């Protein structure tokens, strides 16, 4: 029991302890609960603070992103503006640089337009510069397709300048230059080139006076910004200042040039593309017979040049764009002869913008040259008789007619004969050059077979070539090549060129003679493998008495006239000749002859006859021999047969013509006969004789039954004053 009571007492004590412990735990739990509630409340407060911070952060992030975007936009805008300003400065530098060195208005404006396009997106740009008489427009389409507005922009520019200045711009001499569109400037994507929708003009002003205008045009609405306008005004201002400086420079240079030209002993004439006088110095006035006080107009000068025989050379210069030299005798001025060098003045694009004529009085030179020519001719003629006698007696001695000769004597006589032949060649060359220079050389042109002529010439020179073991090769582009030329003169040209090749080509060498036919001309060349000609001597090739590389003693010798004579003969045929050479490589001489029809050959002779008749105040007549029923005749005979008949008639008439200068020419359907110094009465007599000649010829050829002829005639100046009209008159007569 005691143990039970003791145990109950322990349990009671334990219970009390437990209760105390439980109460302690309850208190602690209550305290922790309160603490937890406080903690939860604190957490809620923190979370509320965090939420507020997050929202604030989000607001600040959004604000920061917005600020960043604004900064980026501003940076891009600033960068673009810097780029634009840099480009503007670059363009202004380019323009300023161009203004500083360019002395040509057109080039200057072209450079400005090209530079301007780097900043201003125009579709077409144009500029106008004008003075009292002229107006020049330069246009630059920016893209392929925008060039369709050239006329519209040009008219806009002219009208604007007219309104601004009050001047009649259209009344000035107008010229326009179109700057080509760059190859890379292709049609813009979405480019609408239907109409010009925006443009503006900026004037060029020099010393308060408008002298031009620049225009930019676009097919877009409101295409140009204020910056564009400001830039173009700046460039226009710079250009105006440059033009002012350029005008002052040009005026100063013109003053210097004028002083120099007016003091020249040669006459100087320059006309522009409208034949208006640009320069006419006092010496030219005097040479052409104008008084110093006369006001010479372009029309008066043109008439004077036409009378002086310079009309055709001026036309040739305009067509051929090359220097033309002409010698003229001034009408009314006894024995005054002028050498006229006429040359074109070309613009940047190669167009003719004027013609300059230099007049030099060569009367004294001609007199001295004539005295020299007459002396050479007289001496040459006087030498011929004793030379012929010497050659004859040397031949008699060589043939041992007077008696036998020793071997040494035969050698001496051979040397004498060789030198007599050389002297004879020299005399013949002197006589030829004298005739040419005196204008006494007469060409007898016929249809010449060039191939046969060359082969005959080569055969005649084969002995000389064989002596040096030279090979002469002949090449032709066709089996039959013909040209209207003087056969003897053609032979002389080939002989001179081939002989020179033989002389200056060493043993075992080669010579090539070639003839080529093109649509417009016959080209002949002689090529050798000789020692060649130095570059310094090439300019003197065709000068009289020139021999290159000649040394004392043995070697090639000659008169130094062969090439000079050949040149004169070729040019008399309206051809060209030149040489090509390299030292130790050989030389090549080429000459060309123009192809001509029988009709053009007739016109050449007829024009010469008319000129001679006009100078001698005499008459000249032509006779036209036509084949009757020509169309019907072609149905029964081949073209070759008809041409053969006409060839025979031409030969028969030329044989029957007795006077010097009378010539017959075969045409496509008849024969034309030229009769210099023959009036109307004389032509009737000649016509009767020609009828008899052709009748006899046709009977011999057994063609009198098939061929019927019709004769017509005309006389200069009674019936006409030109070769074309003379033919027409003769055909109708």
């Amino acid at each position: 029991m005691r143990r039970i009571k003791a145990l109950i007492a322990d349990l009671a004590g334990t219970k009390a302890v437990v209760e105390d412990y439980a109460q302690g735990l309850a208190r602690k739990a209550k305290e922790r609960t309160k603490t937890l509630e406080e903690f939860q409340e604190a957490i809620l407060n923190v979370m509320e603070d965090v939420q507020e911070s997050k929202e604030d952060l989000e607001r600040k992030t959004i604000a920061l992103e917005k600020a960043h975007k604004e900064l980026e936009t501003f940076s891009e805008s600033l960068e673009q503006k810097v780029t634009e300003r840099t480009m503007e400065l670059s363009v202004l530098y380019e323009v300023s640089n161009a203004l500083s060195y360019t002395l040509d208005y057109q080039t200057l404006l072209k450079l400005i337009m090209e530079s301007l396009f780097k900043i201003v997106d125009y579709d077409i740009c144009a500029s106008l510069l004008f003075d009292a008489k002229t107006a020049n427009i330069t246009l630059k389409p920016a893209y392929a397709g925008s060039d369709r507005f050239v006329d519209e922009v040009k008219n806009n520019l002219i009208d604007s300048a007219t309104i601004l200045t009050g001047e009649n711009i259209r009344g000035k001499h107008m010229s326009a230059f179109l700057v080509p569109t760059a190859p890379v400037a292709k049609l813009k994507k979405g480019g609408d080139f239907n109409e010009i929708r925006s443009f503006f003009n900026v004037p060029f002003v020099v010393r308060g006076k408008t002298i031009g205008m620049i225009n930019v045009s676009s097919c877009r609405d409101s295409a140009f910004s204020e910056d564009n306008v400001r830039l173009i005004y700046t460039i226009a201002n710079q250009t105006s200042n440059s033009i002012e400086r350029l005008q002052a420079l040009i005026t100063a240079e013109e003053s210097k040039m004028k002083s120099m030209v007016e003091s020249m002993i040669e006459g100087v004439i320059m006309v522009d593309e409208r034949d208006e006088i640009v320069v006419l110095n006092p010496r030219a006035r005097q040479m052409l017979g104008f008084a110093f006080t006369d006001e010479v107009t372009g029309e008066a000068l043109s008439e004077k040049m036409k009378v002086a025989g310079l009309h055709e050379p001026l036309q040739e210069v305009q067509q051929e764009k090359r220097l033309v030299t002409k010698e003229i005798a001034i009408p009314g001025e006894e024995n005054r002869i002028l050498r006229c060098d006429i040359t074109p003045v070309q613009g940047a694009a190669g167009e003719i913008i004027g013609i300059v004529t230099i007049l030099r009085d060569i009367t004294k030179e001609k007199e001295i040259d004539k005295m020299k020519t007459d002396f050479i001719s007289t001496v040459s003629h006087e030498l011929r008789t004793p030379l012929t006698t010497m050659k004859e007696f040397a031949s008699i001695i060589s043939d041992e007619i007077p008696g036998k000769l020793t071997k040494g004597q035969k050698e001496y006589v051979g040397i004498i004969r060789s030198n007599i032949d050389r002297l004879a060649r020299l005399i013949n060359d002197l006589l030829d050059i004298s005739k040419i220079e005196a204008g006494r050389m007469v060409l007898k042109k016929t249809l010449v077979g060039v191939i046969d002529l060359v082969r005959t010439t080569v055969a005649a020179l084969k002995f000389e070539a064989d002596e040096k073991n030279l090979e002469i090769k002949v090449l032709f582009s066709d089996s039959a090549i013909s040209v209207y030329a003087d056969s003897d003169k053609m032979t002389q040209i080939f002989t001179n060129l081939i002989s020179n090749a033989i002389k200056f080509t060493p043993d075992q060498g080669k010579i090539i003679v070639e003839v080529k036919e093109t649509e417009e001309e016959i080209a002949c060349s002689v090529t050798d493998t000789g020692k060649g000609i130095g570059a310094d001597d090439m300019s003197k090739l065709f000068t009289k008495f020139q021999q290159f590389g000649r040394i004392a003693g043995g070697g090639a010798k000659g008169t130094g006239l062969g090439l000079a004579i050949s040149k004169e003969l070729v040019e008399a045929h309206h051809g060209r000749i030149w040489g090509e050479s390299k030292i130790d490589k050989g030389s090549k001489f080429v000459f060309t002859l123009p192809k001509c029809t029988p009709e053009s050959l007739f016109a050449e002779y007829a024009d010469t006859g008319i000129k001679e008749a006009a100078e001698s105040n005499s008459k000249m007549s032509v006779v036209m021999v036509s084949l009757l029923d020509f169309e019907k005749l072609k149905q029964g005979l081949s073209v070759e047969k008809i041409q053969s008949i006409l060839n025979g008639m031409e030969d028969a008439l030329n044989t029957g013509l007795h006077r010097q200068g009378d010539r017959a020419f075969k045409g496509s359907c008849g024969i034309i006969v030229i009769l210099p110094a023959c009036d109307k009465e004389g032509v009737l007599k000649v016509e009767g004789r020609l009828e008899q000649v052709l009748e006899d010829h046709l009977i011999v050829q057994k063609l009198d039954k098939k061929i019927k002829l019709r004769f017509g005639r005309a006389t200069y100046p009674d019936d006409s004053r030109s070769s074309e009209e003379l033919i027409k008159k003769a055909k109708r007569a």
Side-chain angles (χ1 to χ4, degrees):
M1 279 301 279
R2 284 193 299 270
R3 290 182 66 181
I4 294 171
K5 289 180 179 180
L7 181 61
I8 293 169
D10 289 337
L11 289 171
T14 303
K15 179 181 178 183
V17 172
V18 170
E19 289 178 350
D20 289 338
Y21 181 74
Q23 290 176 355
L25 286 175
R27 285 194 303 272
K28 287 183 180 180
K30 188 176 182 180
E31 289 175 358
R32 288 186 180 182
T33 300
K34 184 178 181 180
T35 302
L36 181 61
E37 290 175 351
E38 290 176 353
F39 180 71
Q40 288 177 341
E41 185 178 356
I43 288 175
L44 290 174
N45 291 335
V46 170
M47 289 178 67
E48 288 177 359
D49 291 340
V50 169
Q51 183 66 29
E52 290 176 358
S53 297
K54 181 180 178 182
E55 291 175 355
D56 184 56
L57 181 61
E58 287 177 351
R59 285 194 300 271
K60 288 181 179 180
T61 301
I62 292 171
L64 185 61
E65 288 177 350
K66 183 178 179 181
H68 181 67
K69 288 180 179 178
E70 289 176 353
L71 182 61
E72 283 184 344
T73 302
F74 176 76
S75 177
E76 290 174 358
S77 175
L78 182 62
E79 185 177 353
Q80 183 178 355
K81 288 183 178 180
V82 169
T83 302
E84 289 175 355
R85 295 296 176 268
T86 303
M87 183 62 73
E88 286 183 8
L89 290 173
S90 174
V91 168
L92 288 172
Y93 175 77
E94 287 181 4
V95 172
S96 299
N97 191 39
L99 295 174
S100 66
Y101 71 80
T102 305
L103 298 178
D104 176 68
Y105 291 123
Q106 196 173 86
T107 303
L108 174 64
L109 293 169
K110 176 177 176 288
L111 291 172
I112 289 173
M113 291 175 181
E114 290 174 345
S115 298
L116 189 61
F117 184 63
K118 296 176 182 178
I119 296 293
V120 182
D121 186 15
Y122 61 75
D123 289 319
I124 186 166
C125 183
S127 64
L128 167 68
L129 285 177
F130 57 86
D131 55 25
K133 294 182 179 180
T134 63
N136 300 298
I137 296 178
T138 304
L139 302 111
K140 176 175 172 49
Y143 302 101
S146 59
D147 55 356
R148 71 184 63 179
F149 302 111
V150 164
D151 290 335
E152 179 182 346
V153 171
K154 182 168 66 174
N155 291 328
N156 180 2
L157 200 56
I158 294 171
D159 293 340
S160 299
T162 300
I163 293 170
L164 180 64
T165 63
E167 295 188 42
N168 181 15
I169 305 297
R170 294 187 187 278
K172 302 177 186 294
H173 177 67
M174 192 80 63
S175 63
F177 174 69
L178 186 66
V179 180
T181 304
V184 295
K186 298 180 180 178
L187 185 65
K188 292 187 294 184
K189 289 185 178 179
D192 183 6
F193 294 105
N194 293 326
E195 60 178 340
I196 296 293
R197 295 187 178 181
S198 56
F199 71 89
F200 68 91
N201 302 312
V202 179
F204 297 130
V205 181
V206 173
R207 293 188 294 275
K209 182 180 179 182
T210 300
I211 62 163
M213 189 173 286
I214 187 169
N215 166 285
V216 288
S217 301
S218 174
C219 296
R220 294 177 290 112
D221 292 321
S222 303
F224 308 112
S225 65
E226 291 183 4
D227 289 339
N228 293 156
V229 176
R230 176 184 50 77
L231 176 65
I232 294 176
Y233 266 100
T234 302
I235 290 176
N237 186 50
Q238 286 185 340
T239 305
S240 298
N241 294 333
S242 177
I243 290 173
E244 183 178 4
R245 292 193 301 271
L246 187 56
Q247 286 179 339
L249 177 62
I250 291 174
T251 300
E253 292 300 319
E254 283 179 347
S255 179
K256 293 178 185 177
M257 186 66 68
K258 184 178 180 181
S259 299
M260 181 185 72
V261 170
E262 287 187 349
S263 63
M264 291 175 64
I265 61 172
E266 289 87 4
V268 180
I269 304 168
M270 180 177 177
V271 296
D272 60 20
E273 66 272 24
R274 297 169 296 152
D275 289 334
E276 294 293 334
I277 298 173
V278 179
V279 176
L280 179 66
N281 73 343
R283 182 62 173 154
R285 284 175 169 268
Q286 179 189 0
M287 288 179 169
L288 294 176
F290 290 114
F292 184 74
T293 56
D294 287 348
E295 182 179 348
V296 183
T297 64
E299 185 178 351
L301 177 63
S302 178
E303 186 61 31
K304 182 73 75 171
M305 301 282 267
K306 187 179 295 184
V307 172
L310 292 176
H311 179 66
E312 290 183 1
L314 286 169
Q315 287 185 323
E316 185 178 348
V317 168
Q318 289 179 327
Q319 294 169 0
E320 302 292 334
K321 296 183 181 181
R322 62 178 179 84
L323 170 68
V324 173
T325 300
K326 172 86 172 177
E327 291 182 5
I328 62 170
I330 296 298
E333 295 283 343
E334 187 177 357
N335 297 326
R336 174 177 283 188
I337 301 174
L338 302 180
R339 175 190 172 95
C340 308
D341 293 317
I342 309 169
T343 186
V345 181
Q346 295 179 290
E351 76 281 12
I352 299 291
I353 61 174
I355 294 178
V356 174
T357 303
I358 306 297
L359 307 175
R360 187 161 62 90
D361 192 335
I362 58 171
T363 306
K364 292 293 183 184
E365 296 176 24
K366 283 292 182 181
E367 289 176 356
I368 294 171
D369 198 47
K370 185 176 182 303
M371 292 170 60
K372 176 198 69 178
T373 301
D374 291 344
F375 172 75
I376 291 174
S377 179
T378 301
V379 170
S380 300
H381 277 293
E382 291 298 323
L383 286 174
R384 262 188 168 175
T385 301
L387 195 63
T388 302
T389 304
M390 292 165 61
K391 185 175 181 179
E392 183 66 26
F393 277 97
S395 297
I396 292 172
I397 294 172
S398 179
D399 293 339
E400 299 182 331
I401 295 175
K404 292 290 184 181
L405 298 176
T406 64
K407 183 178 179 181
Q409 290 171 334
K410 281 191 174 184
E411 183 179 348
Y412 298 149
V413 173
I415 293 172
I416 292 172
R417 292 184 64 182
S418 175
N419 280 275
I420 289 173
D421 289 339
R422 182 166 162 246
L423 186 56
R425 288 194 298 271
L426 173 60
I427 291 171
N428 287 332
D429 285 346
L430 290 172
L431 288 173
D432 284 340
I433 203 72
S434 298
K435 287 180 184 178
I436 292 169
E437 291 181 342
R440 296 195 301 267
M441 181 183 66
V442 178
L443 296 180
K444 297 180 180 179
K445 291 185 179 180
T446 57
L447 191 62
V448 177
V450 182
I451 296 177
D452 291 338
L453 185 143
V454 170
R455 284 174 174 160
T456 301
T457 306
V458 169
L461 297 170
K462 190 175 185 303
F463 177 75
E464 295 180 32
D466 289 345
E467 283 188 328
K468 300 178 69 175
N469 198 19
L470 301 177
E471 177 190 357
I472 300 182
K473 193 174 183 179
V474 180
L475 302 175
F476 300 106
S477 64
D478 201 342
S479 58
I481 301 175
S482 299
V483 65
Y484 278 94
D486 187 311
S487 178
D488 292 338
K489 300 300 186 289
M490 285 282 289
T491 300
Q492 191 171 359
I493 295 168
F494 276 110
T495 299
N496 287 341
L497 297 180
I498 298 172
S499 293
N500 276 350
I502 292 173
K503 287 178 188 176
F504 297 105
T505 300
D507 294 0
Q508 309 294 325
K510 179 189 285 188
I511 297 169
I512 299 175
V513 183
E514 187 172 9
V515 180
K516 294 181 179 179
E517 183 177 18
T518 66
E519 290 184 4
E520 297 181 352
E521 62 185 11
I522 306 296
C524 310
S525 65
V526 177
T527 307
D528 63 55
T529 57
K531 59 184 180 180
I533 302 168
D536 294 339
D537 292 326
M538 290 299 291
S539 61
K540 300 178 286 185
L541 273 181
F542 301 100
T543 306
K544 290 181 292 185
F545 305 109
Q546 287 289 336
Q547 290 183 305
F548 308 111
R550 181 168 180 167
I551 57 175
K557 299 291 187 291
T559 63
L561 291 172
L563 290 178
I565 292 171
S566 297
K567 181 176 184 293
E568 295 289 346
L569 295 178
V570 169
E571 291 181 350
H573 285 82
H574 307 294
R576 299 176 298 121
I577 186 170
W578 67 92
E580 304 166 2
S581 187
K582 289 184 179 180
I583 293 294
D584 298 328
K585 297 291 185 181
S587 302
K588 180 179 182 179
F589 286 88
V590 184
F591 70 92
T592 62
L593 299 178
K595 288 184 177 179
C596 62
T597 62
E599 286 78 7
S600 63
L601 187 61
F602 159 76
E604 180 182 332
Y605 271 85
D607 289 338
T608 302
I610 288 173
K611 183 178 179 181
E612 292 174 352
E615 291 174 352
S616 61
N617 196 26
S618 61
K619 311 278 187 176
M620 188 204 76
S621 297
V622 299
V623 175
M624 184 76 187
V625 184
S626 305
L627 301 179
L628 283 177
D629 299 325
F630 185 71
E631 294 301 323
K632 184 178 179 181
L633 196 63
K634 286 198 298 183
Q635 296 176 4
L637 297 174
S638 65
V639 175
E640 292 77 11
K641 181 61 176 176
I642 293 175
Q643 293 304 311
S644 176
I645 292 171
L646 289 173
N647 286 335
M649 291 169 58
E650 180 186 27
D651 292 340
L653 287 175
N654 278 319
T655 303
L657 293 169
H658 305 305
R659 297 185 315 154
Q660 185 176 1
D662 291 353
R663 287 295 308 277
F665 300 91
K666 182 194 74 171
S668 57
C669 58
I671 308 292
I672 305 169
V673 182
I674 295 180
L675 304 169
C678 183
D679 57 18
K680 282 183 171 293
E681 183 179 350
V683 73
L684 287 172
K685 295 178 181 178
V686 175
E687 183 181 324
R689 181 158 51 83
L690 296 181
E691 287 185 29
Q692 187 61 51
V693 168
L694 290 179
E695 183 181 342
D696 294 343
H697 170 74
L698 293 174
I699 290 173
V700 171
Q701 298 296 319
K702 297 181 180 180
L703 295 169
D704 54 309
K705 303 297 184 184
K706 294 182 180 180
I707 304 298
K708 301 299 179 183
L709 305 176
R710 179 180 180 275
F711 287 78
R713 75 205 71 82
T715 300
Y716 168 88
D718 302 344
D719 298 318
S720 177
R721 292 182 173 270
S722 70
S723 58
E724 295 87 351
E725 289 299 322
L726 280 175
I727 293 179
K728 291 179 181 178
K729 177 70 175 177
K731 285 181 177 179
R732 293 194 299 264

